[in-house]
Amino acid sequence: MRRRLGLVTIVLAAALLVTACGGGSSQGGGAAQGGGQPSGQSAQQAAGGGETKPIKIGQVIPITGEAAESGKYQKQGAELAVEQINAAGGVKGRKLQLVQEDDKTTNPGAVAALQKLLEDKEIVAVIGSIRSTQVQAMMPTIAEAKIPVAIGGTNYGLTHSGNPWVFRFRPHDGYSAQVLAKFTVEELGKKKVAVIHSTDAFGTGGKDFVVEALKKLGVEPVLVQGYNNGEKDYTAILTALKQSGAEALITYMTFSTDLGIMAKQIKQLGINVTWVGSPSITAKDAANLAGDALYGTYGVTDFQVDGSEASKKFAEAYKAKYGQNPDLYSAWTYDAVMVFAEAMKKAPDLKPESIRQAILSIKGFPGAEGEYNFDQNGDGLRHYHVVKNENGTWKLFKTITITD
């Protein structure tokens, strides 16, 4: 009898062990629990036809740290897209579901957030970071995971380093640098130009492109000055700017909060210079910090409310839901979800390679930021809007599309 009870106990224990191994994985961002995977079938295959569970898209966003304010806009943009897609019937008859993880505004935090998302084998694609330095840190993990990852980082090398799983939803710095230099020199007629930049991958890469573009236009910068992210006192840098005799300033600043602080100090020091900034100058959190210190400045931006009909519709929907105007942070994550959904509709299944190929085949897709035409490097956009801050409102000045 004792031998029979022992045998029953072993069988029950084995059954419980099998059940536990096939159970759902834990989710971040308040997502529902997922089910187990059929034996011998990959997670992404399991997310394909015949399923009724939501299709999961991961999102790495700064919920805490220096960039938490911009993270709010990135979160809202992606959530609006999911809401609209689900209201229209979803993808392949299934709802979309976001699973979000905090990158803590650090490179290690971004890598850890991505790795945690990848533990959920039901996630078929990920929205990564807008920070180039974070994307650089995540690149080995992305290459190893072999899953489509949307990025907003604009450092040129991110999509030119041989990683086929990275797709960029903003124009790269090579384009913005050309627009910044051409507008400053040819449109504004400025010949004495200073360049201030963040010393991280984004700022340094952008600075290199700007200086190169200025030199091609026959302009040698009168000052090229870097600073570390999170700087609170720009007095020494701005004193050098004033002494340089610059009549125009081009900035490549990573954090719009840094830009807002510097703008206030430029005003306090009475520096009179025509300022043309990379896209961070147009961000909502920069305006919240700087106020009228940014009035009269110019910027280049990938998103502008009046840029296209799709931009206007997105802005209207965003304001109706959140009670405020969107910016580039919300626009790129909105587009990332929309493009992922479009690719998943076109793909025969939800395997990573199928989604990747479907993204590469997208041409003429009308996004909030602009028209997407992905090339083999994973770059989808080639335009920049030049805008001017008129009493706190960024007005469209002109749109420039780079063809080479």
Side-chain angles (χ1 to χ4, degrees):
M1 184 64 179
R2 292 181 60 185
R3 288 184 61 187
R4 288 185 60 188
L5 285 173
L7 181 60
V8 170
T9 301
I10 292 171
V11 171
L12 286 173
L16 287 170
L17 178 59
V18 169
T19 302
C21 290
S25 58
S26 63
Q27 309 296 324
Q33 294 293 314
Q37 303 302 323
S39 176
Q41 186 179 29
S42 74
Q44 286 73 25
Q45 286 173 315
E51 293 281 358
T52 57
K53 292 182 296 186
I55 298 171
K56 294 182 181 178
I57 297 175
Q59 184 179 19
V60 177
I61 49 173
I63 298 174
T64 58
E66 183 79 16
E69 181 66 14
S70 67
K72 180 183 71 175
Y73 292 98
Q74 296 178 72
K75 180 176 184 288
Q76 292 178 165
E79 290 177 347
L80 176 61
V82 167
E83 180 180 291
Q84 291 180 347
I85 291 166
N86 288 343
V91 175
K92 297 185 186 301
R94 299 166 60 184
K95 302 291 188 183
L96 295 187
Q97 181 181 26
L98 283 174
V99 183
Q100 296 161 328
E101 286 294 337
D102 182 13
D103 67 23
K104 301 179 174 58
T105 319
T106 67
N107 291 357
V111 174
L114 176 62
Q115 291 174 337
K116 186 172 182 180
L117 289 171
L118 294 173
E119 290 175 2
D120 185 340
K121 299 305 180 184
E122 293 183 348
I123 288 177
V124 300
V126 175
I127 303 170
S129 177
I130 195 172
R131 312 288 172 200
S132 295
T133 182
Q134 288 186 332
V135 176
Q136 276 191 333
M138 291 191 286
M139 288 294 259
T141 305
I142 296 171
E144 183 178 357
K146 294 181 170 56
I147 186 171
V149 175
I151 63 169
T154 54
N155 179 274
Y156 174 83
L158 298 178
T159 53
H160 294 77
S161 59
N163 188 334
W165 299 99
V166 173
F167 295 91
R168 176 151 38 207
F169 287 77
R170 301 179 62 217
H172 66 61
D173 294 338
Y175 297 144
S176 62
Q178 291 183 57
V179 173
L180 284 165
K182 286 176 69 69
F183 179 73
T184 303
V185 175
E186 295 181 348
E187 296 273 347
L188 299 177
K190 306 299 184 184
K191 305 300 181 186
K192 299 180 71 174
V193 182
V195 179
I196 294 178
H197 65 95
S198 163
T199 52
D200 67 9
F202 165 77
T204 301
K207 175 265 296 181
D208 290 342
F209 278 117
V210 166
V211 171
E212 180 183 349
L214 286 171
K215 288 181 177 178
K216 285 182 178 177
L217 295 170
V219 173
E220 184 74 33
V222 295
L223 173 73
V224 178
Q225 182 67 57
Y227 69 94
N228 295 324
N229 290 335
E231 179 63 62
K232 303 302 180 189
D233 184 359
Y234 293 88
T235 303
I237 295 171
L238 296 181
T239 299
L241 170 65
K242 196 169 187 177
Q243 293 174 345
S244 74
E247 54 186 356
L249 167 65
I250 294 178
T251 56
Y252 238 96
M253 304 182 71
T254 299
F255 290 102
S256 38
T257 45
D258 291 347
L259 188 144
I261 293 170
M262 192 179 84
K264 293 183 72 171
Q265 294 177 15
I266 285 177
K267 182 180 180 183
Q268 290 165 356
L269 292 172
I271 297 174
N272 183 22
V273 66
T274 300
W275 185 355
V276 187
S278 68
S280 57
I281 198 172
T282 68
K284 300 291 291 184
D285 49 352
N288 293 341
L289 276 171
D292 63 1
L294 284 177
Y295 289 5
T297 59
Y298 295 90
V300 300
T301 180
D302 30 301
F303 171 72
Q304 217 284 333
V305 172
D306 297 320
S308 69
E309 285 303 313
S311 304
K312 292 177 183 175
K313 288 182 179 178
F314 162 66
E316 290 170 0
Y318 189 92
K319 190 166 186 177
K321 182 173 178 60
Y322 300 113
Q324 59 187 162
N325 291 320
D327 65 0
L328 65 91
Y329 290 113
S330 47
W332 89 269
T333 58
Y334 176 86
D335 282 355
V337 173
M338 286 295 185
V339 168
F340 276 159
E342 180 70 10
M344 287 187 272
K345 291 175 183 175
K346 296 175 65 173
D349 53 53
L350 299 182
K351 297 176 184 175
E353 180 59 22
S354 300
I355 297 174
R356 191 182 80 84
Q357 290 294 337
I359 296 172
L360 290 173
S361 72
I362 286 178
K363 304 296 179 188
F365 185 83
E369 293 232 332
E371 183 179 281
Y372 285 86
N373 295 281
F374 283 94
D375 62 22
Q376 289 301 308
N377 294 317
D379 279 306
L381 298 172
R382 290 164 186 77
H383 75 279
Y384 267 103
H385 305 294
V386 179
V387 294
K388 184 177 183 181
N389 189 321
E390 295 184 357
N391 298 321
T393 301
W394 288 100
K395 299 288 188 180
L396 180 63
F397 196 83
K398 66 187 305 183
T399 299
I400 299 175
T401 299
I402 305 296
T403 55
D404 58 347

